[in-house]
Amino acid sequence: MSTRIVYADNAATTQLSDTAFDEMTPYFKEFYGNPSAAHSYGAKAKTAVENSRKRIATDLGAQSNELFFTSGGTESDNWALYSALNIPFVKGHHIITTRIEHSAIFRAAKSLEEQGCDITYLPVDRYGQISPAQLAAAIRSDTALVSIMLANNEIGTILPIMDLCNVAHKKHVRFHTDAVQAVGHIPVNVKELGVDMLSISAHKFRGPKGIGALYIKNGCPLPPLLIGGGQEKHKRSGTENVPAIVGMAAALDEAVSNMDRNMNNITIMRDRLIKEVLSSVPDSQLTGDPHHRLPGTASFVFGSLKLAPLVAKLSEVGICASSGSACSSGSTELSRALAESLNTSAPEQYGALRLTLNECNTTEDVDYIVGHLPEVIAKLRTSRFGL
Ligand code: PLP
């Protein structure tokens, strides 16, 4: 086992930022009041929640009253999608989404299908892209909702959400985007995008785990997902996770104020990683869109090399990478994004090696990865495990 660890799995989760940690710490033991309580401790917690809401809303170009705290990306996605069943003025129960969505949308769509919804799963091109014309052709008179992710968690492709949203709105269809992999990494402004709903998750941008939000544009009616004590304007009941909310706001503020510098540095590291891997590993292929991609995402297929042994061998030399789905790396579920974008039915190609960098990585990390990966792959290719 290596003593050096290079963490290159930042699409799965990130290290909590020091700023977020410091800001959230007092809310565990010192200011532990319930924000709904009518005393000074309650008021302190309530103020922290509302200040955090304001900070996050500002970072996203939203208004404070358009932001609802949830337990993370999965809950936000589920909430947005299930709304299609229940919206008072919907025209029907036809939903359009894509074949490369995260399971929080994809499986929720499957469950809605079982409940009688008609779902169109748009295919993507070899770069993982969907065109506005493709979406326009799929919209029907009974379409209630379109849900298309802003950036893919496996191949890193950034989709043209502003244009896609325009198409949906021209036909008076509501638009949700899963922006979990994008927020904190590339500029995201809800008003510029024009979306009606947008999901975020703090642990993807160096905030704590188990906290996220759903942006719901003013005037976009949405039934509550959780019913109880009436928190979040009766839309999402449950005592607020005050430290996590504070941590999310601190992490997002930090990510947004350092975004230009981080994007620049991370893109330079990612591009070098891609270049060196493609040139030093025979039969290697980059997945996703070569131009419209997340700054930190590099994802490769290596011919018919199996990915699980590769990830295990890399871990032995201290490199934390992943194959398959972003937040369920241990999952045996085959990658829809890869199968779609690589247009292959060969099972061995359903997995890709995903290396995801962020501002915690250094050029030495990239040196270390490119120094070890070719050898690890060469060894696997000559052993029975890689076959
Ligand atoms: N959507 C995308 C694109 C993701 O990558 C993830 C997690 O990897 C989620 C949703 C789920 O977010 P959470 O882990 O906060 O539930």
Side-chain angles (χ1 to χ4, degrees):
M1 277 289 179
S2 164
T3 49
R4 170 154 191 180
I5 299 289
V6 171
Y7 185 78
D9 198 16
N10 287 289
T13 199
T14 57
Q15 184 187 42
L16 186 70
S17 91
D18 289 342
T19 316
F21 181 73
D22 290 345
E23 284 202 36
M24 60 196 289
T25 304
Y27 291 92
F28 284 106
K29 290 197 73 176
E30 247 176 285
F31 310 127
Y32 53 83
N34 185 324
S36 301
H39 47 62
S40 62
Y41 268 40
K44 178 89 187 163
K46 176 95 185 146
T47 303
V49 168
E50 293 317 317
N51 284 345
S52 301
R53 197 188 310 277
K54 201 182 263 172
R55 292 166 77 181
I56 296 166
T58 306
D59 289 334
L60 296 174
Q63 292 173 38
S64 294
N65 65 357
E66 296 175 308
L67 208 76
F68 295 84
F69 294 120
T70 65
S71 64
T74 302
E75 184 184 326
S76 299
D77 282 351
N78 277 213
W79 189 7
L81 208 70
Y82 288 140
S83 73
L85 265 185
N86 221 347
I87 304 166
F89 61 77
V90 295
K91 297 167 279 177
H93 288 156
H94 176 233
I95 299 171
I96 300 173
T97 186
T98 78
R99 295 194 195 160
I100 63 162
E101 297 299 309
H102 185 273
S103 302
I105 288 291
F106 192 80
R107 288 193 188 156
K110 288 281 172 202
S111 89
L112 284 176
E113 223 170 348
E114 282 162 20
Q115 293 173 57
C117 286
D118 195 5
I119 317 272
T120 299
Y121 299 93
L122 295 174
V124 295
D125 69 12
R126 59 195 283 253
Y127 295 138
Q129 292 288 3
I130 303 258
S131 73
Q134 200 187 343
L135 175 61
I139 293 177
R140 313 190 312 214
S141 58
D142 62 342
T143 306
L145 178 71
V146 174
S147 178
I148 299 181
M149 69 198 324
L150 209 170
N152 181 266
N153 45 301
E154 293 176 70
I155 57 178
T157 296
I158 299 172
L159 290 101
I161 293 304
M162 198 194 312
D163 298 341
L164 294 167
C165 183
N166 270 334
V167 166
H169 283 174
K170 273 199 191 121
K171 300 203 177 187
H172 310 290
V173 176
R174 192 180 286 195
F175 196 99
H176 164 257
T177 189
D178 173 344
V180 164
Q181 290 289 340
V183 166
H185 301 281
I186 57 172
V188 174
N189 182 299
V190 291
K191 299 294 177 226
E192 280 171 19
L193 292 174
V195 294
D196 301 292
M197 293 175 279
L198 177 143
S199 306
I200 75 170
S201 174
H203 73 105
K204 306 295 185 181
F205 51 81
R206 305 195 60 204
K209 295 170 183 50
I211 186 75
L214 182 64
Y215 158 78
I216 307 174
K217 186 160 82 183
N218 274 334
C220 172
L222 200 72
L225 186 70
L226 299 180
I227 295 166
Q231 290 89 348
E232 298 296 284
K233 290 186 285 178
H234 289 274
K235 284 203 183 290
R236 201 280 186 183
S237 286
T239 301
E240 298 87 340
N241 185 345
V242 182
I245 288 171
V246 170
M248 173 158 71
L252 189 57
D253 270 0
E254 194 177 22
V256 167
S257 50
N258 296 332
M259 188 165 292
D260 287 347
R261 191 187 63 214
N262 287 344
M263 276 178 64
N264 190 43
N265 293 345
I266 297 164
T267 304
I268 291 171
M269 288 193 287
R270 177 205 69 192
D271 286 348
R272 188 160 75 82
L273 181 62
I274 291 174
K275 194 165 153 249
E276 300 211 14
V277 170
L278 292 180
S279 65
S280 62
V281 181
D283 199 11
S284 52
Q285 187 187 339
L286 180 71
T287 74
D289 193 311
H291 306 295
H292 304 287
R293 62 188 301 127
L294 288 169
T297 303
S299 156
F300 308 91
V301 286
F302 302 108
S304 58
L305 188 74
K306 283 189 183 155
L307 271 300
L310 175 59
V311 169
K313 288 284 169 204
L314 286 174
S315 180
E316 280 175 22
V317 296
I319 299 169
C320 300
S322 88
S323 65
S325 171
C327 35
S328 54
S329 307
S331 137
T332 52
E333 188 186 343
L334 301 177
S335 164
R336 289 185 306 278
L338 284 165
E340 277 291 311
S341 59
L342 294 173
N343 192 19
T344 175
S345 55
E348 65 275 13
Q349 294 214 327
Y350 281 108
L353 179 73
R354 189 190 61 183
L355 298 160
T356 44
L357 309 173
N358 76 359
E359 64 274 24
C360 299
N361 291 108
T362 60
T363 51
E364 288 75 30
D365 289 345
V366 176
D367 293 341
Y368 190 82
I369 296 171
V370 298
H372 285 77
L373 186 63
E375 196 189 328
V376 170
I377 290 179
K379 276 193 188 151
L380 269 176
R381 278 181 167 153
T382 53
S383 86
R384 65 190 171 87
F385 296 111
L387 296 175

